[in-house]
Amino acid sequence: MNEKMRYDVVVIGAGHAGCEAALAASRMGCSTLLLTMNLDTIAQMSCNPAIGGLAKGQLVREIDALGGEMAKCIDRTGIQFRTLNSSKGPAVRGTRAQADKQRYRIAMKDTLEKQTHLDVKQGLVERLLVEDGKIQGVETNIGVQYKSGAVIVTTGTFLKGLIHIGLAHYPSGRAGEFPSVGLSDCLRDLGFELGRLKTGTPARLNGRTIDISRMKIQEGDDPAPFFSFTENTHPLIQLPCYLTYTNPLTHDIIRNSLDKSPLYAGVIKGIGPRYCPSIEDKVMRFSERERHQVFLEPEGLDTEEYYANGVSTSLPYEVQVQLYRSIPGLEEVEIMRPAYAIEYDFAPPTQIRHSLETKKIAGLYFAGQINGTSGYEEAAAQGLMAGINAALKTQNRDPLVLQRSESYIGVLIDDLVTRGTNEPYRMFTSRAEYRLLLREDNADLRLREQGRKIGLVDDAAYALYHEKKREIERELDRIKRTRVKSSEQVNNMLRNRGSMELEDDASLEQLLKRPELTYRDIAAISPLEKPVLPEAAEQVEIQVKYEGYIQRQLRQVERFAGLEQRSIPDDLDYDAVVGLGTEVRQKLKQVRPISLGQASRISGVTPAAISLLMVALEKRRRTGGSQPKTNA
Amino acid sequence: MFDQDTICAVSTAAGVGSIAIIRVSGKDAIGIAGRLFDSKGNVKLAHVSSHTIHFGWICDPESGERIDEVLVSVMRRPRTYTREDVIEINCHGGIVPLKRTLKILQREGARLAAPGEFTKRAFLNGRIDMTQAEAVMDVISARTEKSHKAAKEQLEGGLSKATAEIREQVIGLLAGVEATVDFPEEDIETPSGVRIEKEIGEIQKRMSQLISRAAYGRLLREGIAVAIVGRPNVGKSSLMNALLMRERAIVTDIPGTTRDVIEEGLNIDGMPVRIIDTAGIRDTHDMVEREGVKRSLLALESADVVLTVFDGSEPLHDADRFVIEAVGCRKAVIAVINKDDCKRKLESLPALQKHVIVSCKDGRGLEILKREIVAAVTQEAFVRSDHAWVINERHREALEQAAESMERARRSVQDRLSPELIAVDLRDALDQVGTIIGTTYTEDILERIFRDFCIGK
Ligand SMILES: Cc1cc2nc3c(=O)[nH]c(=O)nc-3n(C[C@H](O)[C@H](O)[C@H](O)COP(=O)(O)OP(=O)(O)OC[C@H]3O[C@@H](n4cnc5c(N)ncnc54)[C@H](O)[C@@H]3O)c2cc1C
Ligand SMILES: Nc1nc2c(ncn2[C@@H]2O[C@H](COP(=O)(O)OP(=O)(O)OP(=O)(O)O)[C@@H](O)[C@H]2O)c(=O)[nH]1
Ligand SMILES: [Mg+2]
C-alpha cells in the first residue's frame, strides 16, 4: 500500500492548538494529518504545569461542551484541582488544575494515536504550497509533500524563536527545541505581515533541595472539581503547592544586575505580556513592594522538578542562582532548568476571519500563539475552532462562528480579528461584556447543541446534557408552582437561617430568591421523591438567585443583536461610502468586519459611521449589489 | 439598538416665540405619546385613526401636572416620513414646556434621536428613493459634523477635561473591582467596600456638579427666562416694551389687557435673555382671563428670574400680596417698583429683599434693572466664570444616567453584593460617559489594572 500523501486537513504543530484541531477535524470525518517537529513534545506545556483559572477555566469548559479534548485530558492527569473565587458569584468562579506534565502529554498523544481518520507524523514543515490564492499542501524540510485543501498552522512560539538568558541568546522554539525558520520566511513571502512578541518562563527547581518546612502549604479542594461535563474520576494522587516570598535581598540582587538583563539592556525587541511580567519588571515597577509571591508547583508525580511560579526572569544564569537562593526555603536550591525569555514571530490576527481562515489564502487557517495569544487554553480553543471550520469547509458547510454573547471563545476570536493585539493576548473575565451569562456551570447549556450539530458530541454526552436540561426545566417549574404555607416547622428553619418568617405563604421560588437561603434549604422544605441531579440543582439556584442580573444582560444582548445580525458583505467598497472619515475608512478596510456589530467594536468607529454603513448597505441591497458572499 | 427603539427630537429649530414641533417615531411612538396626552374629550391616541390631529394637553403621567397645550398629529405607518408610527406634537408654551415634554418622553421610553436619524430611518425603511441616498448620507455626516464641531468647541472649553476626569476615576474604581475578580490569587491590596463607597460618592458629586453646570450652559444657549409678573395694570407690558425698546406688547389703562404669555428675545451684556410678559394675576371670573392667570403661574414656575412688578403710585393691594405669595422665595426674584415718575404711594415691601425703582415712561432705573437680571443668575452657586461652557442635552442625559448607575453601584456595595455585580453598574456608567468621550474601555480597564496592581503569578 502506498503512503497516504493527500489529506482533507493537514495540521502543522502538535501543541495545544494543533491537538484540538487535529482531533476535531478527524472526528468530524475528515482524513487528517498532524505533522509536528517532535513526537515526544506533543501537547507539551511550555510554561507552568497548570490548566484553567479565571476565564481560562470557562474556555476549557466550553471546549468540552463543543466536544474538544483538553478538559478530559486534564481531568485524567491533574494532580490538584481547585475552584478559584469560590466566595464570589458563579459567573466569576474558575476551575484550575495542576497537571502532571508528562502524563498530560502522553495521554494526549495516546488519544491522537487512537483516533480514526488521523495520522500523526514527525516532520518539520518548511513551506506552504499555494496556487491561485488557495492552499494546496505543505512541504517538510526533507522534501516530502502532503497535499491538502485545508492547512492549519499552529506553530506556537516556534516561528523564528529566539531564547534569551542574560545577554546570551540563541535560536530555539522552546528550551531544548529547534526554531521554525523556513516557515516564518514562507509566510512573509506569501504576503503575511508578521510581528514580534516576547514571553518568559521561570526556572525549574529540584524538589530535593527545597525546604518546604518554611513555606505555606496549599492543598487542592476536596472534593476536587471537574473540567469535563462527562468525567467523574480524578485517577491520580493529589499533591499540594507551596507558597513563599521574595524579600528585599532578592530585589537588591535584581537591581544590581539590571545591566545584564536583555529586557533592560534593550536586547529584546518583542512586546511581553503585562499580566505576566518578569520578576525584574515587578521589582522595578512596584519598587515599594517588599515581597512578591512565589508558588512552587510540582511538575508531576514522576519527577522532582518544581515550577517556580512568579519568578520568571531573563537574567543571566549566575544571577538566577543567587536570586532563587535568596528566597526563604530555597537557600540550597538546585536549578534544573534555567529561566528564560523567548521572542517569536506572530501574525497580527486582523489577517484572519472569524473562522480563523486567513483572508489572503483560502483554506489556510492560523490558530494558537501564532495569532498573538498566550496560554494553553486560548490556544486549544482556537485550535478546536480552526479544526471545526477546516472540516466544515471541506464538507462545504457554513463555518461555525460563536457569538460574544454565548461564549468566551466567541469573545476571544472576535477580539483578535477585530482589534488585533500588540501584546500576547490572554483571556480575562473583564473582556466579556456579558460576563454574567458566560459561566463555567452553564457552558454545556450554551454550547452542547452546537457541538452536537457539527458532530463532535457523542450520544452519551448528549443524553446526559438533555437529562440535565430537562431536570432544570422541571424543577424551575415546580418551585414556581409549589407554595409553602406558614408552619412551625418552616418558620423554625427560616429562623435558623436568619431569614424572615412566613406570615401566610410563599412559593419555593420566592424563598430561594432570599440571599440567605440555598437550594438545599428549599429542597428540604418540600423534598422531591427523587432529588434532582446536583448540576441541575446548581442551575436552578443560580438562575433564580441571579435572575435580575441575568435578565439585564439578556436585554443588552437583545438590544445589540440587531447590529450583530446585520452582515456586511465581504466585498463592500468602503471608498464608496460617503461621509466616512479617513481613519475609520482605513480601519474598516483592514478589518473587513462581517457585521455591523463587529464594525462597532473597531476602535474609532462611531455610531455615526455605523449609520453611514447602514445606509450604504441598504443602497447596495436596492441596487441589487452582487450577492453577499458567505464569509466568517 | 439602532432601529428597534423609539426616537424623539425637536424638529423645528427651537427659536424664541415660535411654535416648535416634537417628532416621535418608532414602534412605541403612539403608546408613549398616549401616556402624555390628555384631551378634554378623552381621546385615546391608541384608538384614533391615522393622519388625524387632536387638541389637548401634555401632562406628566407621574404627577398629573399639565405641561403644555398642544396639537398632536397621529400618523400610523407606513404612510409616514419614516414609515414607522409617527407622532408630532405642536407645542405652544415656549421652550421650557418643550424641554419638559421631551424629557418626559424619554422617561416614558423614547430616546433622543441621533443626528439625521429620522432621515436615516426614512431611507432604511424604503421611504426615500435611491437617488436621494447620497443626500441622506450627507445629512448624517453634515449633522454629525455640526454636532461634533459643537461638541468639540464645548469639549475644548472644559467639558472634555471634566468628563475625562470622571471617566478616569470610574475606570480606576472599576479596575480595583475587576482586579479582585480576575486575579484572586494575587497578593494585591484591593479596595474595601467602604473605600469603594466613598469613591462612588466623590464621583457622584463630580457628576452632579457637571450636570448643574449643564443648567448654566442651557441659560447661555436658550437664554435666561425672565418672567414679568404682577397684578393687572402695574405696567408689566410697558416694562417688557421698555426693555425691548419697541412696542411689542399691547399697553392700555384697562386692567386685564394681557391675556396670554408673550415671549421675546433680548441681549443683555452678551447674555441671551428671554423676556416673558404675563397676564396680571388676580382672582377673576372671566374664563379667558382665568386661563391667562393660570399660564402666568406656569411661566413663573419655569422662569430663571422673576420680576415682580408693583405700581409705585398706589398703595399695596391685596392682589399684590397674593402675587408675593405666589412668587414665594425659591427663585431669583427682583421686585420692580414702577411708575417712579409719579408720586410715591407704595410704602414697604417686607418680604422681598432686592428691589429696583424704575419708570417705564421716562426709562429711569432700567439700566440698573438689566444689571440686576444678569447678576441674579450669575450669582447662583453653580455658576462661575471659568465654567462658562455649554453642555448639551445629550451630554446631560448621559451624565444623569451615569449618575443613576453609580447610585445602583453604591447600593450594591452596601448590600455587599459580589464584585462582578457591582461591576455591571460601573460598566453601565462608563458606557454612558463613553457616549460623551470615546466609547471603548476594556483595554483601559486592563491598562489600569496592570498599572495599579502588581499582577504576575
Ligand atoms: C518560554 C515560554 C513561556 C510561556 N509563558 C506562558 C505564560 O506565562 N502564560 C501562558 O499562559 N502561556 C505561556 N506560554 C505560552 C503557552 O505555552 C502557549 O501559549 C501555548 O502552548 C501555545 O500553544 P500552541 O498550540 O499555539 O503552540 P505550542 O504549544 O508552542 O506548540 C507548537 C507546536 O508546533 C510545533 N511546530 C512548530 N513549528 C513547526 C513546524 N514548522 N513544523 C512542524 N511542527 C512545528 C512545535 O514542535 C510544537 O509542538 C509560554 C510559552 C513559552 C515557550
Ligand atoms: N405714569 C406712568 N404710567 C405707566 C408707567 N408704566 C405703565 N404705565 C401705565 O399703566 C397702565 C397699564 O400699563 P400696562 O403695561 O398695560 O400694564 P400691565 O401690568 O401689563 O396690565 P395688564 O396687562 O392689564 O395686567 C397704562 O396706562 C400705562 O401707560 C410708568 O412708568 N409711569
Ligand atoms: Mg399687560
Side-chain angles (χ1 to χ4, degrees):
Chain A
M1 194 179 90
N2 278 343
E3 204 202 347
K4 190 168 160 69
M5 303 306 273
R6 174 174 288 284
Y7 289 87
D8 292 335
V9 177
V10 171
V11 180
I12 308 170
H16 305 283
C19 292
E20 294 290 350
L23 286 171
S26 52
R27 285 168 177 170
M28 287 170 70
C30 295
S31 67
T32 305
L33 170 64
L34 175 58
L35 271 176
T36 195
M37 233 183 242
N38 181 347
L39 291 185
D40 293 331
T41 59
I42 284 176
Q44 172 87 333
M45 296 190 185
S46 322
C47 196
N48 62 331
I51 281 181
L54 261 286
K56 287 167 172 271
Q58 272 91 335
L59 282 172
V60 180
R61 298 276 280 181
E62 290 176 4
I63 290 169
D64 192 61
L66 287 168
E69 195 59 27
M70 181 173 250
K72 293 191 181 76
C73 196
I74 182 62
D75 276 340
R76 290 168 195 168
T77 59
I79 51 178
Q80 185 192 98
F81 293 84
R82 289 176 62 205
T83 302
L84 304 184
N85 268 346
S86 53
S87 66
K88 302 195 180 93
V92 294
R93 284 178 206 151
T95 308
R96 211 220 9 238
Q98 298 300 138
D100 181 314
K101 252 185 195 178
Q102 300 308 321
R103 291 186 197 216
Y104 183 89
R105 168 178 76 73
I106 290 165
M108 187 61 88
K109 181 163 180 269
D110 187 47
T111 304
L112 291 166
E113 287 171 0
K114 295 203 168 95
Q115 180 61 45
T116 46
H117 303 308
L118 177 61
D119 291 340
V120 182
K121 291 176 194 280
Q122 186 157 302
L124 173 64
V125 174
E126 292 262 88
R127 213 155 65 82
L128 299 175
L129 310 174
V130 176
E131 262 168 46
D132 300 330
K134 288 200 192 92
I135 194 79
Q136 307 294 331
V138 302
E139 186 182 283
T140 69
N141 62 335
I142 52 170
V144 185
Q145 290 197 351
Y146 296 96
K147 294 292 168 60
S148 178
V151 170
I152 306 172
V153 185
T154 63
T155 48
T157 51
F158 285 69
L159 296 180
K160 293 225 168 127
L162 184 65
I163 283 184
H164 298 262
I165 301 180
L167 299 179
H169 48 82
Y170 57 92
S172 173
R174 181 164 57 196
E177 297 181 56
F178 295 114
S180 175
V181 176
L183 188 57
S184 180
D185 289 332
C186 171
L187 288 173
R188 219 179 293 263
D189 291 344
L190 288 171
F192 287 100
E193 181 199 337
L194 298 182
R196 203 94 174 127
L197 293 174
K198 169 243 151 188
T199 185
T201 192
R204 310 302 191 271
L205 310 173
N206 189 324
R208 280 195 303 120
T209 61
I210 297 175
D211 179 6
I212 56 166
S213 70
R214 308 196 46 195
M215 303 180 186
K216 208 178 125 195
I217 295 191
Q218 202 176 50
E219 305 274 1
D221 289 354
D222 189 16
F226 288 89
F227 280 100
S228 173
F229 287 99
T230 50
E231 292 293 307
N232 44 31
T233 51
H234 291 306
L236 298 189
I237 301 168
Q238 303 292 293
L239 293 185
C241 296
Y242 300 95
L243 173 61
T244 178
Y245 295 91
T246 62
N247 54 42
L249 177 61
T250 321
H251 302 175
D252 282 341
I253 295 169
I254 291 167
R255 275 191 213 102
N256 293 333
S257 318
L258 281 184
D259 54 331
K260 294 172 213 121
S261 153
L263 216 57
Y264 284 82
V267 180
I268 292 181
K269 303 276 184 317
I271 302 166
R274 285 169 300 177
Y275 48 84
C276 210
S278 59
I279 186 71
E280 45 271 39
D281 258 347
K282 291 198 265 188
V283 167
M284 294 311 289
R285 289 190 38 229
F286 296 91
S287 55
E288 73 286 358
R289 304 262 319 225
E290 302 233 308
R291 60 178 205 178
H292 294 279
Q293 297 185 119
V294 179
F295 289 90
L296 294 170
E297 304 175 3
E299 291 244 324
L301 298 179
D302 309 313
T303 174
E304 282 297 328
E305 282 189 79
Y306 273 79
Y307 175 92
N309 197 336
V311 261
S312 120
T313 178
S314 53
L315 286 165
Y317 182 68
E318 64 281 8
V319 181
Q320 291 186 19
V321 175
Q322 261 188 32
L323 108 74
Y324 283 108
R325 289 191 169 185
S326 72
I327 297 170
L330 300 183
E331 291 85 353
E332 313 268 307
V333 84
E334 289 299 328
I335 291 182
M336 295 180 70
R337 309 183 197 216
Y340 66 94
I342 184 166
E343 279 186 285
Y344 54 92
D345 285 349
F346 81 111
T350 48
Q351 301 173 96
I352 54 175
R353 303 173 193 280
H354 280 87
S355 59
L356 302 181
E357 189 177 9
T358 62
K359 293 175 183 171
K360 202 156 253 132
I361 294 170
L364 180 64
Y365 295 77
F366 291 165
Q369 196 118 2
I370 188 176
N371 285 335
T373 62
S374 159
Y376 314 137
E377 306 80 356
E378 287 84 348
Q382 292 169 68
L384 174 65
M385 296 312 293
I388 289 172
N389 282 322
L392 289 172
K393 182 164 175 148
T394 62
Q395 296 163 354
N396 283 320
R397 291 158 72 189
D398 283 342
L400 176 66
V401 173
L402 299 178
Q403 300 299 309
R404 297 180 72 91
S405 54
E406 67 188 350
S407 63
Y408 274 93
I409 299 179
V411 174
L412 168 71
I413 295 175
D414 186 64
D415 274 354
L416 291 174
V417 306
T418 307
R419 297 166 187 273
T421 185
N422 45 26
E423 73 171 331
Y425 177 105
R426 182 190 141 177
M427 187 48 77
F428 302 109
T429 69
S430 52
R431 294 195 194 270
E433 59 273 48
Y434 309 120
R435 175 163 62 192
L436 302 185
L437 304 179
L438 308 184
R439 306 184 305 271
E440 275 195 358
D441 61 75
N442 68 356
D444 54 344
L445 299 176
R446 292 184 274 124
L447 297 172
R448 267 288 191 232
E449 292 292 352
Q450 312 226 43
R452 178 72 177 177
K453 209 169 107 201
I454 49 174
L456 282 181
V457 173
D458 61 33
D459 293 344
Y462 192 60
L464 211 61
Y465 151 78
H466 254 292
E467 191 185 54
K468 173 176 167 186
K469 209 175 142 185
R470 239 194 337 267
E471 287 212 353
I472 296 166
E473 282 161 14
R474 213 182 296 144
E475 183 61 355
L476 276 174
D477 185 57
R478 182 185 79 101
I479 66 165
K480 228 177 235 128
R481 282 187 297 103
T482 311
R483 298 197 73 84
V484 189
K485 288 219 165 48
S486 169
S487 74
E488 195 46 39
Q489 198 194 351
V490 168
N491 282 337
N492 264 340
M493 190 281 275
L494 291 175
R495 219 174 306 123
N496 282 339
R497 295 279 181 282
S499 196
M500 263 209 331
E501 292 174 28
L502 285 183
E503 295 219 330
D504 33 43
D505 70 342
S507 71
L508 287 175
E509 189 191 28
Q510 284 165 331
L511 288 176
L512 185 53
K513 276 204 184 300
R514 299 185 175 184
E516 61 280 5
L517 298 182
T518 62
Y519 174 79
R520 204 195 288 229
D521 294 327
I522 66 140
I525 295 176
S526 167
L528 281 166
E529 259 170 54
K530 182 177 158 274
V532 296
L533 292 167
E535 308 90 82
E538 181 191 23
Q539 279 310 305
V540 169
E541 176 160 333
I542 292 170
Q543 290 184 24
V544 170
K545 282 202 180 299
Y546 291 87
E547 194 190 359
Y549 279 95
I550 291 172
Q551 288 303 332
R552 214 164 128 189
Q553 294 232 301
L554 285 173
R555 276 197 302 276
Q556 287 170 350
V557 172
E558 198 186 321
R559 226 184 314 145
F560 216 69
L563 284 187
E564 296 292 355
Q565 283 153 11
R566 199 77 68 86
S567 58
I568 302 178
D570 212 13
D571 56 349
L572 182 75
D573 180 5
Y574 289 100
D575 288 323
V577 181
V578 182
L580 287 177
T582 332
E583 200 183 318
V584 168
R585 196 186 302 274
Q586 217 49 49
K587 285 227 171 105
L588 287 167
K589 278 162 89 168
Q590 190 201 357
V591 175
R592 301 214 143 265
I594 52 166
S595 67
L596 287 176
Q598 192 196 351
S600 71
R601 283 187 292 276
I602 298 172
S603 67
V605 172
T606 58
I610 296 296
S611 291
L612 292 172
L613 286 179
M614 282 174 135
V615 173
L617 290 178
E618 175 63 18
K619 184 176 155 194
R620 186 185 149 105
R621 193 187 64 78
R622 278 194 228 166
T623 48
S626 47
Q627 219 47 47
K629 285 186 219 156
T630 43
N631 61 331
Chain B
M1 180 194 207
F2 271 81
D3 325 313
Q4 274 88 28
D5 49 3
T6 298
I7 53 175
C8 63
V10 176
S11 73
T12 48
V16 174
S18 62
I19 290 180
I21 295 174
I22 294 176
R23 194 182 263 170
V24 189
S25 175
K27 68 175 194 291
D28 294 331
I30 297 174
I32 291 171
R35 291 200 284 279
L36 273 66
F37 183 70
D38 180 24
S39 84
K40 291 188 184 115
N42 275 329
V43 171
K44 291 271 171 285
L45 294 188
H47 302 138
V48 304
S49 33
S50 188
H51 293 78
T52 51
I53 299 186
H54 308 273
F55 173 80
W57 290 80
I58 292 295
C59 294
D60 183 337
E62 270 178 17
S63 63
E65 182 196 352
R66 283 189 172 183
I67 310 293
D68 198 1
E69 181 189 281
V70 294
L71 287 173
V72 171
S73 316
V74 178
M75 289 160 280
R76 294 179 192 281
R77 67 197 189 98
R79 280 198 310 124
T80 66
Y81 180 61
T82 56
R83 293 223 164 144
E84 301 172 330
D85 286 345
V86 169
I87 290 284
E88 283 182 2
I89 306 173
N90 289 256
C91 305
H92 297 108
I95 194 130
V96 176
L98 185 76
K99 291 272 158 182
R100 286 192 62 190
T101 305
L102 207 55
K103 239 182 134 170
I104 296 170
L105 283 169
Q106 287 170 59
R107 200 183 63 212
E108 293 296 313
R111 79 169 157 77
L112 278 184
E117 196 167 3
F118 286 97
T119 313
K120 184 187 86 185
R121 288 190 178 198
F123 177 76
L124 291 179
N125 296 329
R127 169 68 172 64
I128 295 182
D129 98 8
M130 262 323 285
T131 56
Q132 288 169 286
E134 302 295 316
V136 176
M137 290 186 169
D138 280 345
V139 168
I140 294 173
S141 52
R143 296 248 171 104
T144 308
E145 179 85 354
K146 205 170 119 195
S147 65
H148 274 179
K149 211 174 137 218
K152 217 174 137 208
E153 279 161 7
Q154 295 158 20
L155 293 181
E156 276 158 10
L159 174 62
S160 133
K161 204 164 145 267
T163 315
E165 280 168 14
I166 288 178
R167 179 172 183 273
E168 267 305 295
Q169 224 176 336
V170 182
I171 284 182
L173 183 60
L174 187 54
V177 173
E178 296 280 355
T180 59
V181 168
D182 262 327
F183 306 98
E185 293 192 288
E186 300 286 348
D187 186 14
I188 49 178
E189 207 180 295
T190 45
S192 66
V194 179
R195 224 186 80 199
I196 296 176
E197 233 191 296
K198 197 170 141 239
E199 188 96 349
I200 290 178
E202 280 166 24
I203 295 170
Q204 283 179 316
K205 208 159 100 200
R206 297 179 81 150
M207 285 177 168
S208 61
Q209 277 170 0
L210 211 54
I211 293 167
S212 69
R213 278 177 214 166
Y216 184 60
R218 179 187 63 74
L219 291 185
L220 286 187
R221 240 182 8 262
E222 292 161 9
I224 308 170
V226 178
I228 306 178
V229 299
R231 68 168 166 83
N233 228 31
V234 290
K236 299 181 294 300
S237 301
S238 307
L239 182 58
M240 175 182 225
N241 291 347
L243 288 170
L244 293 173
M245 294 195 293
R246 64 193 171 88
E247 302 303 307
R248 170 69 177 82
I250 300 165
V251 171
T252 71
D253 56 1
I254 310 162
T257 304
T258 309
R259 295 295 180 99
D260 200 354
V261 173
I262 303 174
E263 201 179 300
E264 199 57 72
L266 158 77
N267 210 303
I268 305 178
D269 290 347
M271 282 289 270
V273 171
R274 290 181 295 119
I275 303 285
I276 302 153
D277 182 22
T278 65
I281 296 173
R282 65 169 168 185
D283 206 9
T284 167
H285 295 295
D286 181 322
M287 277 295 286
V288 181
E289 199 183 339
R290 252 166 83 162
E291 193 58 46
V293 170
K294 238 191 227 161
R295 288 184 191 194
S296 301
L297 295 174
L298 262 179
L300 179 65
E301 205 59 32
S302 53
D304 301 305
V305 178
V306 177
L307 305 184
T308 326
V309 184
F310 300 92
D311 186 339
S313 67
E314 292 182 13
L316 207 63
H317 288 206
D318 278 351
D320 289 319
R321 292 202 184 85
F322 180 74
V323 171
I324 294 173
E325 192 104 323
V327 171
C329 56
R330 63 212 128 96
K331 295 264 167 190
V333 181
I334 303 170
V336 179
I337 298 166
N338 189 24
K339 308 194 188 176
D340 197 40
D341 51 297
C342 305
K343 188 171 156 28
R344 181 74 167 269
K345 295 230 178 86
L346 188 76
E347 293 114 24
S348 59
L349 290 172
L352 305 163
Q353 315 105 318
K354 186 163 286 159
H355 65 270
V356 180
I357 300 167
V358 302
S359 163
C360 295
K361 207 165 208 166
D362 62 18
R364 76 180 78 161
L366 288 176
E367 284 310 310
I368 298 174
L369 179 60
K370 285 183 185 175
R371 271 205 300 280
E372 288 295 336
I373 290 173
V374 175
V377 284
T378 46
Q379 265 164 21
E380 280 201 35
F382 59 79
V383 184
R384 265 174 256 116
S385 58
D386 57 331
H387 298 143
W389 33 266
V390 181
I391 96 170
N392 70 28
E393 272 316 278
R394 221 182 298 282
H395 295 162
R396 187 190 49 69
E397 188 194 308
L399 280 169
E400 272 174 5
Q401 284 181 11
E404 275 168 33
S405 299
M406 294 304 291
E407 182 55 27
R408 273 197 296 275
R410 203 176 59 78
R411 278 201 300 270
S412 302
V413 175
Q414 282 175 341
D415 294 347
R416 292 164 190 268
L417 294 190
S418 192
E420 74 277 12
L421 303 179
I422 297 167
V424 172
D425 289 314
L426 294 179
R427 281 165 175 260
D428 276 357
L430 273 183
D431 274 333
Q432 288 303 332
V433 173
T435 61
I436 306 176
I437 46 167
T439 47
T440 60
Y441 55 78
T442 308
E443 261 314 306
D444 296 328
I445 296 170
L446 290 174
E447 181 85 47
R448 257 314 256 279
I449 293 178
F450 302 128
R451 200 191 82 193
D452 294 355
F453 302 100
C454 181
I455 304 289
K457 184 188 161 179

